[in-house]
Amino acid sequence: MPFSPKPRTPSPTRLCGLSRSHRITLSGIDFIPDLSGAIFAPEFSALLVADLHLEKGTSLARRGVHLPPYDTRESLLQLEAALEATRPRRLIFLGDSFHDQGARERIDAADLTLLRSITARVETVWITGNHDPAPPEDVGGIIIEEMELGPVSLRHQPKMLRADEAEISGHLHPAAAIHARGHRIRCRCFIADHRRLIMPAFGSYTGALSVRSEAFKGLFGDFHVWMIGDQAVHCFPAARVR
Amino acid sequence: MSLPPRFTQWFASRGWAPRAHQLGVLAHAEARESVLLISPTGGGKTLAGFLPSLAEITERGPGAGIHTLYISPLKALAVDIARNLEAPIAEMGLPVTVETRTGDTPHSRRQRQRQQPPDILITTPEQVSLLVADPHAAHLLRGLRTVILDELHSMVTSKRGVLLSLALTRAQAHAPGAIRIGLSATVADPDALRAWLMPSGAEPAPLVLGKPGAKPQIRILSSVERVPWSGHSSLYAIPEVYEAIGQAKMTLIFVNTRSQAEMVFQALWEANDGNLPIALHHGSLDVAQRRKVEAAMGEGKLRAVVCTSTLELGIDWGDVDLVVHVGAPKGSSRLLQRIGRSNHKLDLPSQALLVPSNRFEVLECTAALQAAEVNAQDTEHPMAMKLDVLAQHILGRACAGPFHPDELFAEVASAWTYRKLTRAEFDRAIDYVATGGYALRAYERYAKLKPQADGTLRLAHPRLAKAYRLNMGTIVEDEMLKVRLAHVKRRLGKRVVVGGRVLGEVEEWFVSQLTAGQTFVFAGEVLRFEGLDEFGALATRSNDKEPMVPSYQGGKFPLSTYLAERVRQMLADPKSWRDLPPQVRGWLSLQRFRSVVPKAGQMLVETFPRAGKHYMVCYPFEGRLAHQTLGMLLTRRLERAGLQPLGFVASEYALVIWMVRDLSLAVSSGRVALGRLFDEDMMGDDLEAWMAESALMKRTFRNAAIIAGLIERRQPGKEKTARQMTVNTDLIYDVLRTHEPDHLLLRAAWDDAAEGLIDAHRLGAMLRRVKGQILHKALDTVSPLSVPILMEIGRESLYGEGHDALLAEAANALADEAMRLV
């Protein structure tokens, strides 16, 4: 059997596309989950993404783990495709956009150009995260700790909510598993109740944490998950999630 | 051919004489020649290997460093061999020190072995790799004279053997005069083993043959019960197996998978009216538990042990006088090896009983019995060149100290396994180890190998050597979880589960499909799953007779090509059906009457309608993996031909595909030609397109990525944080395919899959074999031969691997439910 590789169609590897049937509603605002792991708020023409962890590959490389150095490009191409699909006015990063403070030094010139071309096209906001308390200032966009999108707070780490507050955050990299026909299927997911939404990690090499794990305890009431399959987003109630 | 007087006296004092093959090995060793000894078990093979070393060390005097490396495939075997060697050494009063070194050897002892090396070190292949990766290797191995490779036939067919072959080239570099003594059971191709032992290009090692043992006496259970159409449990035969145990002194019952072992053990226990001591032994049980069973066998306290391949190799654990094989043995050599466990003395015939678990297995057992009668061997060929293994070896080489690539290339290519390695391939492997080998040179400053002024390469950081030691080895196991027996306590009216002793380990995927309260069989008991804690799974004893969750996953070994050919011939020759039990004979006669029996060389394809769908069943007898691949490829073709396939199921013997459209009609009207459908060209684009997305391919890639050191193994104790941080290898696979489709690791994974999970080589050979030989029979209804595979439908997984289909189905089912409530 000869090895005769054929390249796949050029990136992105994962599909993009807004869900046609699903809406996540917080304080009366609709958010549409995207197959890429982004979420789109039509009322504000804003696209939200969390936890890109750009340059995680080169960060691991320092420890002698040489993963394919295409994670940044992959994530940016993915982001570009999501922008193409939604054409928003605003792009909001929910923190941990860069894997560490040295990411800016290590980013490949072509990838940097790609990133700058994205921020030049849309009004860009970088919310800071624990991995990137001070994101680079020369890649376009403004840097901020928290912000509000109408009645919804946007921040990196989920917080205790005030009585009337609603929030979108990232940080936890949620994943959910369900059982179907004897198979266990685990995917990245959006998780939300009527007040809080936590976004999946957008980055290529980011791991994921089960929504059943300790870190999610006490954050949600009766929640749903929107699991990101290869072709579509699928919604399940908490009772189905293992 | 001279044995020192001390030795001849010892033999005489025990009333023995050295055997011809023992003296044969000695003669070659004295002439400083490597040698291969092929001898059945029980022929004094181990002593044959040791005699030359014992004689030489006695002459040389002790304490001059490691004289002999004895490499055994199993840890437990190494320990037993050391113990068995103590007797002759003590009795002859030889000044020879023997020690073992395995993964279990404590650090302090390893340190001491470094300061004061024993004359004979008994160890495992992985430990040899670690030894040569030690910066002091040259010093440790300077006195090495002999390398003994035990059970060589079992080591050379896997990546373990490939890695070992490379470690041996390193050892040879430190001790150029050392010879190799290979000890092996009977194999299909001794010449391949003879070549494997020697540097590439050299004359193959001379062969010494032991005296063949007495011919085994094998019979097939002829049950009064009805032999099932399909399935693998063999429960119908339990009363008869129990009876056979009652008549023998000590019985070994071999099965093919762990879950089969659990099932058979449980059934025997229920039938155990005579309270016979029967035990269970398989790889997932706790080590202490296994050692206990082995000791009880040795002391003759047991009447039967149900086991998997864990008791297939090595020394005796008692006076076994009967071997029962439940399920088909899948290969003639495996059968011979297993039945060799009974009457482990050369002059007495082994006694064996084969228990087929379904009708096709009756054919297979009959074929295996006939093959064993003529001592036909169908062992696999030694595995050659693996790029992931080479990458691991290169890193290990760097751990020992700086090296020159030219020298390492010459050394690696001197292994028979890498004789076809090109310099370009080698350089890519070096590049991969250094920086990942990517076209985008992103990691130059984080290179693991740094070029020096003198042209050598040096390990960039000592930390990398530590990581190598933790991650080396070629055995990549499923993630395992410990299962602990738990106690339920009441605290303040609440049910609290407290963990207790460890029962063993089980695959993580299996646990992940359990929900609290479900029962499953493990360690010979029906257990109730209680949940997970930080140490693993918790379970309590259950009173259920039947577990709720079966864990059967089909046979582990594929049917050997040789046995498959024999089964096909038997099927084609109705005269040979005389030897079959009446039920099976009747089944085949009915097939001849209702449909047709293919002639030798033909492949039968049946098409028929049933319950509103149209079925196609073909019978290639090439094993489940090859059939599964064929199923994937044929459904793609049938889809393109507009026949709307709905699903398929593959078994060891046959493949069934069902569809919406009438295939019989499509063939008779000339719209579909079966010859075209089964054309070999499906192995091109179709195969590639499917493999690219296949979950099997991703699993293969993960193994290659771990062996080649791209990602680290999970280390015990570190799991909790690792789980969140581990980069999913499926993602890496996708990214590589997109950005670097000809990367070394993709190539390594493709090669593995083609011979492994996808079994493309075997499928390709089969498609060539049936070209122009397809016998089509259009029927009005189900044929007798097709019944077993049709009964598998619903038990096995379905068409396609897309999780989206299952997710959508589950989500829709919820919607339906919701609609009903309204």
Side-chain angles (χ1 to χ4, degrees), chain A residues 155-188:
Chain A
R155 57 176 70 99
H156 180 59
Q157 298 197 27
K159 262 191 190 166
M160 286 280 289
L161 297 181
R162 295 186 311 271
D164 56 342
E165 194 184 8
E167 174 200 85
I168 298 178
S169 59
H171 184 59
L172 289 175
H173 303 200
I178 66 146
H179 290 174
R181 283 211 192 197
H183 290 264
R184 176 188 158 92
I185 305 165
R186 184 177 194 263
C187 321
R188 297 184 299 149

Side-chain angles (χ1 to χ4, degrees), chain A residues 3-6 8 11 13 61-62 64 66-70 74 106 179 181 184 204 207 230-232 234, chain B residues 434-436 438 440 443 446 448 463 512-513 685 688 710 724 731 734 737-741 747 798 804 809:
Chain A
F3 176 68
S4 52
K6 292 212 183 91
R8 297 160 53 109
S11 260
T13 302
R62 287 180 302 180
H66 294 161
L67 299 183
Y70 303 103
E74 187 71 30
R106 301 193 307 268
H179 290 174
R181 283 211 192 197
R184 176 188 158 92
S204 299
D230 290 334
Q231 312 286 337
H234 310 269
Chain B
T435 62
Y438 305 107
L440 185 67
Y443 298 151
Y446 313 117
K448 294 189 201 176
R463 187 183 57 221
S512 71
Q513 62 167 17
D685 290 357
E688 202 177 285
L710 180 72
Q724 196 182 349
L731 280 178
D734 286 340
R737 274 184 35 79
T738 305
H739 298 277
E740 200 132 333
R747 197 182 137 188
L798 295 168
D804 273 275
E809 188 185 288

